[in-house]
Amino acid sequence: MFKLLVILLTISSVAAGVISQYTIQTFTGSDGSDGKFFASVESADGSKTQFIELVNNNLDAFDIGVMDIFDVESSVSLKDVKCIVIKTTTDDRWLVDKVTVAYKVQAITFVNSDRVGLSTDSAEGKTELKLCTDDESTPANYATSNPSPTAC
């Protein structure tokens, strides 16, 4: 009976999967938004989390000059944090000044020094923003952006 219980517990643990916790802090610049935004965290080896909607209990998230904190979960456990990709499905432009990702014992801050705004309206910004660290794994002061949310 004891062996059967151990086997069932092991199968349940594997089937449930491991959930990894990530904390994402966003610092809104001069353009706040009421839109929807999603984030994916990437590792240096190319693995990445699924896109997760940035939602918190603060109904006024993404306001000008405000830091928002999002505690998110993913079934993907990364070795490290190299990049964050943020995308939108709205034409309500949002300008994120910087983003900090905390995972395990690592916290990396990414700076949007090019001031790329997020919007589905191409006159206002890009639908997707990718911020990465440099080769030495120190925060980089640059942003790269992709014209479509599927181009990663």
Side-chain angles (χ1 to χ4, degrees), residues 4 10 19 27 46 67 97-98 102 115 121-122 127 135 140 147 151-152:
L4 179 60
T10 303
I19 300 297
F27 301 85
M67 176 189 71
D97 277 344
K98 61 184 176 176
R115 301 185 50 81
D121 181 343
S122 62
T127 56
D135 291 335
C152 280

Side-chain angles (χ1 to χ4, degrees), residues 31-123:
D31 292 325
S33 178
D34 291 323
K36 287 188 174 190
F37 300 92
F38 305 83
S40 173
V41 180
E42 296 182 7
S43 180
D45 67 6
S47 58
K48 55 188 163 186
T49 67
Q50 70 276 18
F51 277 97
I52 303 163
E53 185 173 1
L54 298 177
V55 177
N56 66 16
N57 293 331
N58 178 3
L59 298 177
D60 292 324
F62 313 115
D63 281 344
I64 295 172
V66 174
M67 176 189 71
D68 291 301
I69 299 173
F70 305 95
D71 292 315
V72 297
E73 295 180 342
S74 175
S75 59
V76 178
S77 180
L78 302 176
K79 291 183 195 176
D80 57 11
V81 174
K82 177 74 174 172
C83 300
I84 185 165
V85 180
I86 303 172
K87 70 179 183 177
T88 186
T89 58
T90 183
D91 63 357
D92 187 8
R93 177 183 159 96
W94 178 47
L95 179 63
V96 59
D97 277 344
K98 61 184 176 176
V99 180
T100 298
V101 178
Y103 174 61
K104 296 183 180 177
V105 296
Q106 182 182 29
I108 300 289
T109 298
F110 304 94
V111 179
N112 182 6
S113 61
D114 289 340
R115 301 185 50 81
V116 176
L118 285 160
S119 175
T120 57
D121 181 343
S122 62

Side-chain angles (χ1 to χ4, degrees), residues 17-34:
V18 175
I19 300 297
S20 296
Q21 302 279 334
Y22 300 84
T23 299
I24 299 173
Q25 293 179 327
T26 62
F27 301 85
T28 299
S30 59
D31 292 325
S33 178
D34 291 323

Side-chain angles (χ1 to χ4, degrees), residues 3 5 13 15 58 81 105 107 119 126 142 150:
K3 288 181 182 179
L5 180 59
S13 298
N58 178 3
V81 174
V105 296
S119 175
K126 303 288 184 183
Y142 68 92
T150 57

